[in-house]
Amino acid sequence: MEAKKSPKADLESKRTIFMQIGLVAVLSLVFIAFEWNSTEAGTLEDFKIDEKGLEVEIIPITRTKEVKPPELPQLTNVLILVENEVELDDDLIIVDSDFDDDTRVDLSNMGIEEEQDDNSVFIRVEEMPEFPGGNMGLARYLANSV
């Protein structure tokens, strides 16, 4: 099939120049939009306030009442000496023991119970856990719950 257009009417060859012209036009419009200043310059007379319309409101002066701190009792530097008639036994009794490094003590009669670890991990279980009522009980529970 032959192209019916003439090579002069084909705009595909001028595609890059059209792209550049469009880019310059859009960027210049954006620049102008950012620099646009829409405020109008006014005179000082426009900003004057009419003093006749303003009423002067007199605010009364308020003062807080002074709060007196509570009176504290007077502290004195008088020491009162009290005689202590209680006698203490300061005798320290040290008992020498005949224990050596090889001496063994029997603690079985002291009533100390060994702690049992309830959180131990089972490697093999004799009876596997199951839902009460078996698989049918589980199916009934799920059917009723859902």
Side-chain angles (χ1 to χ4, degrees):
M1 226 189 213
E2 293 183 30
K4 294 184 179 180
K5 285 186 177 182
S6 67
K8 290 182 181 180
D10 188 18
L11 295 179
E12 192 65 33
S13 61
K14 297 178 177 109
R15 179 175 160 187
T16 56
I17 192 75
F18 288 145
M19 178 75 166
Q20 291 174 354
I21 290 172
L23 184 64
V24 168
V26 169
L27 286 177
S28 60
L29 284 175
V30 169
F31 181 71
I32 290 171
F34 277 120
E35 294 297 322
W36 192 273
N37 191 0
S38 64
T39 59
E40 295 179 9
T43 61
L44 290 177
E45 294 175 2
D46 295 339
F47 296 107
K48 286 187 179 178
I49 299 173
D50 185 21
E51 294 179 7
K52 294 178 185 176
L54 292 178
E55 295 179 17
V56 178
E57 183 178 343
I58 298 174
I59 301 173
I61 298 173
T62 58
R63 295 185 184 172
T64 59
K65 295 181 181 178
E66 293 182 19
V67 178
K68 293 181 182 178
E71 293 184 21
L72 298 174
Q74 295 293 331
L75 298 176
T76 60
N77 291 334
V78 178
L79 296 176
I80 300 172
L81 298 175
V82 179
E83 291 186 24
N84 192 358
E85 298 179 7
V86 177
E87 294 181 16
L88 297 176
D89 294 332
D90 290 338
D91 297 335
L92 182 61
I93 300 172
I94 299 175
V95 178
D96 188 23
S97 62
D98 295 332
F99 291 118
D100 295 334
D101 290 338
D102 296 332
T103 308
R104 297 190 181 246
V105 178
D106 184 25
L107 298 176
S108 63
N109 59 355
M110 300 208 46
I112 299 175
E113 296 180 14
E114 295 181 17
E115 294 182 19
Q116 294 188 9
D117 189 17
D118 292 339
N119 297 332
S120 61
V121 178
F122 292 105
I123 297 173
R124 288 189 181 164
V125 183
E126 294 177 11
E127 188 177 327
M128 293 298 292
E130 64 178 30
F131 196 81
N135 289 337
M136 290 302 293
L138 177 63
R140 270 189 250 116
Y141 173 74
L142 290 176
N144 291 335
S145 297
V146 176

